Amino acid sequence: MLVYGAEAVIPAEVEIPFLRIIQEVELSNAEWIRSHYEQLALIDGKIVNAVCHGQFYQNRMSRAFNKRVKPRQLALRQLVLKKIFPHQDEAKGIFSPNWKGPYIIHRVLIGGVLILAEMDGEIWPKPINSDAVKRYYV
């Protein structure tokens, strides 16, 4: 107001009329309510479009990722080797083995979780992810 002699109006006030704009344009209450309701209906439509677009994008990304995933067919009583991670006590240096085992698959749970048993039949208390095992061929 001090610089240009007129009050500044932000773009949001032009699209969604506020009380100051209504007083300048001199709209009646019925016209203002109708225009405000139309603006709200447009906003609801934009929200629905954004949600649909987000779901479409997520489906497309998951489809692209799942193309490269190779499912593992692990069954009961199969022999597997367990990966030794760097934070475990078995990892003793760069020349130590990366795999430990063989183990027997005792149970297969939902989501690729395995319960392993040692060769003597002792069942491990902790489940392990199927990504951390590989099949052992005799």
Side-chain angles (χ1 to χ4, degrees):
M1 181 87 165
L2 295 174
V3 176
Y4 298 110
E7 194 168 345
V9 178
I10 60 174
E13 290 182 358
V14 174
E15 287 188 23
I16 302 172
F18 289 92
L19 184 61
R20 180 177 57 165
I21 304 296
I22 293 168
Q23 288 175 350
E24 289 178 10
V25 178
E26 297 176 358
L27 289 174
S28 67
N29 285 341
E31 291 175 12
W32 179 80
I33 290 172
R34 185 172 19 87
S35 67
H36 196 64
Y37 181 75
E38 290 171 0
Q39 292 292 330
L40 289 175
L42 288 175
I43 290 173
D44 288 340
K46 289 180 181 180
I47 290 172
V48 169
N49 285 342
V51 168
C52 290
H53 179 71
Q55 289 175 347
F56 176 73
Y57 179 75
Q58 285 180 346
N59 289 338
R60 190 173 61 195
M61 292 304 287
S62 66
R63 217 176 317 119
F65 176 79
N66 290 336
K67 268 193 234 178
R68 297 184 194 101
V69 174
K70 294 179 183 175
R72 294 178 158 223
Q73 302 297 329
L74 297 173
L76 295 175
R77 310 292 300 162
Q78 236 179 14
L79 294 176
V80 294
L81 296 174
K82 182 180 81 73
K83 184 167 182 58
I84 299 174
F85 293 104
H87 62 28
Q88 292 176 328
D89 293 336
E90 293 94 10
K92 302 248 190 274
I94 60 170
F95 296 114
S96 64
N98 295 329
W99 299 92
K100 185 179 179 185
Y103 296 100
I104 300 171
I105 297 177
H106 180 69
R107 286 179 60 195
V108 179
L109 302 176
I110 297 172
V113 179
L114 303 174
I115 305 288
L116 299 180
E118 293 188 20
M119 294 299 285
D120 61 358
E122 183 182 342
I123 299 171
W124 274 47
K126 287 188 193 176
I128 189 167
N129 196 340
S130 63
D131 292 342
V133 299
K134 71 177 180 179
R135 191 162 175 199
Y136 178 70
Y137 296 97
V138 180

